[in-house]
Amino acid sequence: MTTQSMIVAQVSETIFDRFLRSAELYEDTILFKADGGRGQSYTYSGVKERVQRLSAGLMSDSYIDQPEIGLLSENRPEWGIAYLAILAAGKTVVPIDSNLKENEIMHIVRHSGIKSLFIAESFEPLFQKMEKSPSLFVMSNDSDQSWSRLESLRPSTRNISRQNVAVLIYTSGTTGSPKVVMLTHANILHNLQGISQAIPFDRQDIFLSILPLHHTFEATCGFLTPLMAGASIVFARSLKSKEILEDISANGITVMCGVPLLYDKMYHSMMRSINAAPTIKKILFKVLFFISGAGWGLGLHLGKPLFSSLRKKAGLQSIRMFVSGGAALHAEVARFFNFIGFDFFQGYGMTECSPVISMNKPGDIKFGSVGKPLPNLEVRMEPVGDSDVGEILIRGGSVTPGYKDNPGLTKETVRDGWLHSGDLGCFRGGHLWITGRAKNVIISSAGKNIYPEELEEKLLASPYVMEVVVVGRTKSGKQGEEPVALIIPDIDLFSAEFGEELKGDMGTIRKVISGVVSASNQQLSDYKRIADFEIQLSELEKTSTKKIKRHIYANRFKHSQ
């Protein structure tokens, strides 16, 4: 029996089984392109052959007692090949964030107990420092520990089930007590099915992979989704706006998944170009934008023909779809991209749900909402107080069986089959609206709930505000909290409007931002109004998936006077 037939015979309805179907249907289609399309390319059949050779080695007697294999690398084709090889061998992938500090990486390696891992060659020196290093499969033929040595080993038999844990995701506690989410093959396949029912993809699509692949959003939406559809994936060279645009243009990218920060920057950059244009062109843009918006209200998507030249000038003419997830998106950003002719969809998810829970869909977009739940998931609210806002609960096949080695947390989070998300929201017209995280809620002195995300949305409506975080501050001798804001201004806009010599003038910046805060407060009930603000010229601290580290700023303002 050949290695290929042996593996196929033992896999039934797993992620690898689904990949094999795609490989048979699209064997000569390019699956991966490295380095923004400038590096090595791999066809579906080429990836299949390499995966089968590597997985045969992982199924040998040498690794039979290792149920979990680590994966540490930046985004590249070899990451996807290693991921599929681990699953094909009936083992569990433990993806590690390549942007973590050395001590954080070592903590995960030790805590997980993994004895072997695939790594990019750049991480080889890190493990040479370890007193007892795991067995390494280096993604290079030039290393003594090259992953190619797996291909010479003789495989043993292995049974693989849909209920096997496919991945273990470290979502927090990289240096303390970690929270490790288990996702089975069935969980992820269920989520992929729901995504495909909501939005169609096919072999004509070319995805640009930007977000870190260790994160479930990118792994499911930017890696497995195109792989199941016979599409191609180009791995971006970097997160630099200039190189992203070059990669999009050079490869004819049609789909890109990103986080709000990325789209915020694109939006601000395009608006600066529009505002710097001659007066007649600015007026023309505003007129056409108004017409597009009016047409949108009537169910007409006029932006595609009206702004074709603008999209071409921006190097985005090939894009048919932008998808935003991972954090809250300002409604104005989604409105802008849709009005100028893109299909721009905001969604909502969490790692524990594999991860997609809901998303806006073609012809059914509500700006500011995260769309309707996937057709194969149930979502309901558990009431909080007397309002229509409640904690979001999810039930369905993509919900995690729990947290590894943490039955207490599993019991607390998944009750009677319902995942308690910790997110607050409500339904309006069938669409889900997120109001915030339960743990982020600010409680006023009168006991009223203030959702910081609502206040941030108001402030971000100003073009002068690039980023903002709102947290609660306790005043000495008083009950409750008051909202305070840390605001990062758009320095490039200040430069364009007030002159290069004034762009860093804190007096000018504070005067303008003070006006923004005052205007925002006028739109809010008295108890919600921002009591104070600070200005910071550097970006807010974020995780590798570009989520703001809100806890840092909550601690910073917690007891300030």
Side-chain angles (χ1 to χ4, degrees), residues 244-295:
I244 289 174
L245 289 174
E246 289 173 353
D247 291 348
I248 289 173
S249 179
N251 295 281
I253 300 298
T254 64
V255 181
M256 188 175 84
C257 299
V259 291
L261 177 63
L262 174 63
Y263 296 119
D264 285 344
K265 288 184 174 181
M266 290 174 63
Y267 165 71
H268 281 281
S269 176
M270 294 177 76
M271 287 305 300
R272 281 196 297 270
S273 296
I274 291 165
N275 289 328
T279 302
I280 187 66
K281 287 190 175 182
K282 284 193 288 188
I283 293 174
L284 178 61
F285 172 83
K286 291 179 180 180
V287 170
L288 294 179
F289 195 80
F290 175 81
I291 293 172
S292 180

Side-chain angles (χ1 to χ4, degrees), residues 46-310:
V47 169
K48 180 186 74 172
E49 292 169 6
R50 191 75 195 269
V51 164
Q52 289 174 326
R53 294 198 303 268
L54 291 169
S55 64
L58 291 175
M59 294 166 70
S60 70
D61 292 339
S62 299
Y63 304 101
I64 197 168
D65 63 341
Q66 297 184 28
E68 295 150 6
I69 305 291
L71 177 52
L72 174 62
S73 169
E74 70 282 1
N75 285 18
R76 57 191 287 185
E78 291 79 10
W79 192 101
I81 292 170
Y83 180 100
L84 291 169
I86 295 168
L87 295 185
K91 299 181 183 294
T92 300
V93 183
V94 184
I96 301 174
D97 183 354
S98 63
N99 291 310
L100 292 176
K101 294 184 173 65
E102 289 187 3
N103 66 307
E104 294 174 321
I105 292 173
M106 290 299 100
H107 179 75
I108 291 177
V109 170
R110 294 189 184 98
H111 180 272
S112 65
I114 52 178
K115 298 178 181 178
S116 300
L117 71 162
F118 288 86
I119 64 168
E121 51 267 40
S122 58
F123 290 98
E124 197 169 2
L126 170 61
F127 289 92
Q128 291 172 349
K129 300 176 186 177
M130 291 187 69
E131 186 175 331
K132 189 176 180 181
S133 171
S135 178
L136 302 178
F137 310 129
V138 183
M139 300 170 183
S140 168
N141 293 327
D142 298 327
S143 170
D144 293 337
Q145 301 186 81
S146 172
W147 62 343
S148 61
R149 75 181 192 278
L150 284 170
E151 300 175 1
S152 62
L153 300 177
R154 182 179 179 83
S156 301
T157 58
R158 183 67 53 84
N159 292 318
I160 309 171
S161 164
R162 279 174 61 87
Q163 303 311 317
N164 282 14
V165 176
V167 290
L168 291 175
I169 309 294
Y170 278 72
T171 65
S172 64
T174 52
T175 57
S177 178
K179 185 169 73 172
V180 188
V181 179
M182 299 184 291
L183 295 177
T184 66
H185 288 262
N187 289 153
I188 295 171
L189 288 171
H190 192 270
N191 204 235
L192 290 168
Q193 180 189 42
I195 293 170
S196 67
Q197 289 173 343
I199 298 181
F201 301 97
D202 59 37
R203 65 182 303 180
Q204 304 302 319
D205 280 312
I206 304 172
F207 284 63
L208 185 65
S209 179
I210 296 176
L211 303 178
L213 279 163
H214 79 277
H215 194 269
T216 314
F217 176 34
E218 182 66 14
T220 296
C221 299
F223 169 53
L224 293 175
T225 291
L227 183 146
M228 300 303 175
S232 301
I233 303 169
V234 177
F235 293 96
R237 288 173 291 163
S238 74
L239 282 171
K240 295 178 181 177
S241 298
K242 181 175 181 294
E243 293 190 349
I244 289 174
L245 289 174
E246 289 173 353
D247 291 348
I248 289 173
S249 179
N251 295 281
I253 300 298
T254 64
V255 181
M256 188 175 84
C257 299
V259 291
L261 177 63
L262 174 63
Y263 296 119
D264 285 344
K265 288 184 174 181
M266 290 174 63
Y267 165 71
H268 281 281
S269 176
M270 294 177 76
M271 287 305 300
R272 281 196 297 270
S273 296
I274 291 165
N275 289 328
T279 302
I280 187 66
K281 287 190 175 182
K282 284 193 288 188
I283 293 174
L284 178 61
F285 172 83
K286 291 179 180 180
V287 170
L288 294 179
F289 195 80
F290 175 81
I291 293 172
S292 180
W296 188 273
L298 298 172
L300 303 174
H301 294 186
L302 304 177
K304 291 186 184 298
L306 291 177
F307 291 102
S308 60
S309 60
L310 185 149

Side-chain angles (χ1 to χ4, degrees), residues 428-447:
R428 297 173 193 159
H431 280 247
L432 179 61
W433 300 74
I434 309 296
T435 57
R437 287 285 294 173
K439 65 181 180 182
N440 294 340
V441 172
I442 300 167
I443 310 297
S444 75
S445 57

